[in-house]
Amino acid sequence: MSRPLIARIDTAALAHNLGVARAAAPRAKAFAVVKANAYGHGLTRSARALRAADGFAVLRVEEAAQLRSEGYTHPIILLEGFFHPDELPEIARLRLRPVIHRTDQAEILAKSKLGQRVDVLLKLNTGMNRLGINPKRLPETLATLRGAAHIGGITLMTHFARADDDAACVEQQLLRFQEAAQGLNLPASLANSAAILRHPQTHADWVRPGIMLYGASPFADQTGEALGLLPVMTLESKLISVQFVRKGEGVGYGARFIADRDMKIGIVACGYADGYPRHADTGTPVLVGGQLTRTLGRVSMDMLNVDLTATPTAHVGSPVTLWGVGLPVEQVAAACGTISYELLTALAPRVPVEES
Ligand SMILES: *Cc1c(COP(=O)(O)O)cnc(C)c1O
């Protein structure tokens, strides 16, 4: 028998979650965000499950090329645009839509000699202060783009810094966007998952759902389940050893956990080289035989330790759920001071994936 660690991907849940995004933003078209290997879920299988989306959003030309080779004719946006002018002929040939987020990119694209028409998204920095042009420079940048015959449709875009936790901040960014876009009559794309779910005034023409498609909540104060989402990835393993630890003895590297009584512990085939966070401390939730318990001590490269006090019948071979159905990934992430996005995208290539 092979190592028991496996990531199960429920593709029907992906399709369901896209339906939740659509129902939340019924008048908008949706770019399904499948960057970072579809948040760790696999680009090819996720795109197949999300083919009802109106478009896809990726980071790299290679990912977009993969989707084109699989036959998708959807609009595909490149969230960071092009990194070098060398990429432009391929971008044009594959009919990709780069995000133009610096004024020099607009100039380079306008000056390039391309056989095909390229549609673009022009990104405005409205307060996130990461990517995007200053709204003051929108008129001149639009003039640059419109001066080139090979530049086709232009969609205005921005991204929210605090759609998950601060409505006033969303409102301020939205106002800056509307002020800049006023009178231009251009299509717009603003909303990520959090804005789709909580800020309907931001939906505009195209929404960009990411994390919600994978069943995780973008909010600290509301679960995916409460939002009607279904978990997509379940990371499962088994106990490969059981140890009886005497009161006062340490568990694992650095003896980071000291038994406060005699206790039974289990060793799970899953470690940080599989993508489980090493910084998960004692107390991170985990299911053993369907029962909620906690991790103990330091996560090793290939294994981690769990408390079997609550599951006295657990034995070598007992099933373990690290996250997914029965244990929301957000809950595990919160316990180790991070977010579901980081856990999902960190799933290591060595973990076998089974699709259901
Ligand atoms: C990743 C990303 C999204 C999706 O965000 P979620 O919070 O996962 O919904 C949307 N827009 C941009 C620009 C992104 O980079």
Side-chain angles (χ1 to χ4, degrees):
M1 211 191 77
S2 53
R3 187 167 181 252
L5 181 64
I6 181 173
R8 290 190 198 284
I9 304 290
D10 181 350
T11 51
L14 267 173
H16 166 88
N17 295 335
L18 175 63
V20 175
R22 285 207 178 284
R27 281 180 298 278
K29 290 193 267 189
F31 285 117
V33 181
V34 291
K35 64 188 176 188
N37 195 30
Y39 289 46
H41 295 68
L43 177 62
T44 294
R45 79 171 61 82
S46 300
R48 199 187 317 122
L50 296 168
R51 62 187 178 276
D54 303 288
F56 293 110
V58 298
L59 212 66
R60 297 174 301 128
V61 175
E62 292 89 325
E63 296 164 295
Q66 177 72 32
L67 292 176
R68 287 285 182 250
S69 78
E70 289 164 8
Y72 297 99
T73 55
H74 299 58
I76 301 178
I77 61 175
L78 297 171
L79 287 165
E80 292 180 358
F82 62 95
F83 300 94
H84 192 276
D86 284 359
E87 293 177 290
L88 286 172
E90 180 79 341
I91 287 172
R93 192 181 66 75
L94 293 170
R95 287 164 293 108
L96 310 181
R97 302 186 183 184
V99 170
I100 302 299
H101 58 84
R102 299 192 316 258
T103 52
D104 68 294
Q105 288 178 319
E107 283 151 23
I108 290 165
L109 179 60
K111 278 193 208 125
S112 64
K113 304 259 178 293
L114 297 173
Q116 290 102 326
R117 216 179 76 133
V118 180
D119 293 340
V120 301
L121 290 93
L122 180 54
K123 188 168 192 175
L124 304 178
N125 173 24
T126 56
M128 170 100 178
N129 296 314
R130 192 175 62 179
L131 296 186
I133 65 165
N134 186 323
K136 283 195 200 113
R137 302 195 63 184
L138 179 57
E140 65 185 86
T141 312
L142 273 179
T144 302
L145 293 173
R146 284 171 167 159
H150 60 276
I151 297 178
I154 301 171
T155 300
L156 294 179
M157 171 183 174
T158 197
H159 192 53
F160 295 115
R162 305 193 61 177
D164 59 326
D165 71 346
D166 189 328
C169 184
V170 170
E171 210 46 52
Q172 186 184 43
Q173 285 193 255
L174 180 62
L175 265 174
R176 285 183 189 160
F177 185 85
Q178 286 168 337
E179 231 171 72
Q182 197 178 21
L184 294 173
N185 207 20
L186 290 172
S189 175
L190 299 85
N192 58 3
S193 297
I196 290 167
L197 293 163
R198 284 215 177 143
H199 306 290
Q201 74 280 24
T202 66
H203 290 169
D205 301 280
W206 284 90
V207 293
R208 305 188 303 269
I211 194 69
M212 69 179 295
L213 300 178
Y214 307 98
S217 168
F219 309 115
D221 62 358
Q222 201 174 15
T223 63
E225 192 184 343
L227 296 163
L229 302 170
L230 297 173
V232 178
M233 182 195 297
T234 298
L235 186 61
E236 291 178 2
S237 190
K238 287 182 175 162
L239 297 185
I240 58 166
S241 174
V242 169
Q243 301 283 354
F244 296 89
V245 182
R246 288 290 200 189
K247 179 178 176 179
E249 284 192 52
V251 171
Y253 286 122
R256 282 271 291 190
F257 175 78
I258 308 281
D260 51 7
R261 58 201 144 75
D262 293 355
M263 62 192 295
K264 186 175 157 186
I265 70 163
I267 311 303
V268 181
C270 180
Y272 62 78
D274 300 302
Y276 195 91
R278 184 175 178 277
H279 59 270
D281 218 336
T282 294
T284 305
V286 56
L287 300 181
V288 177
Q291 283 266 76
L292 184 64
T293 181
R294 58 175 184 154
T295 65
L296 298 174
R298 212 162 245 164
V299 173
S300 323
M301 186 183 290
D302 311 310
M303 286 166 275
L304 57 82
N305 321 303
V306 295
D307 187 348
L308 298 182
T309 307
T311 54
T313 60
H315 50 85
V316 168
S318 286
V320 175
T321 298
L322 286 317
W323 60 66
V325 173
L327 180 60
V329 64
E330 303 97 294
Q331 207 171 307
V332 178
C336 35
T338 185
I339 52 174
S340 59
Y341 302 65
E342 188 181 11
L343 299 191
L344 295 172
T345 58
L347 185 75
R350 81 176 189 186
V351 179
V353 175
E354 199 165 284
E355 203 174 313
S356 60

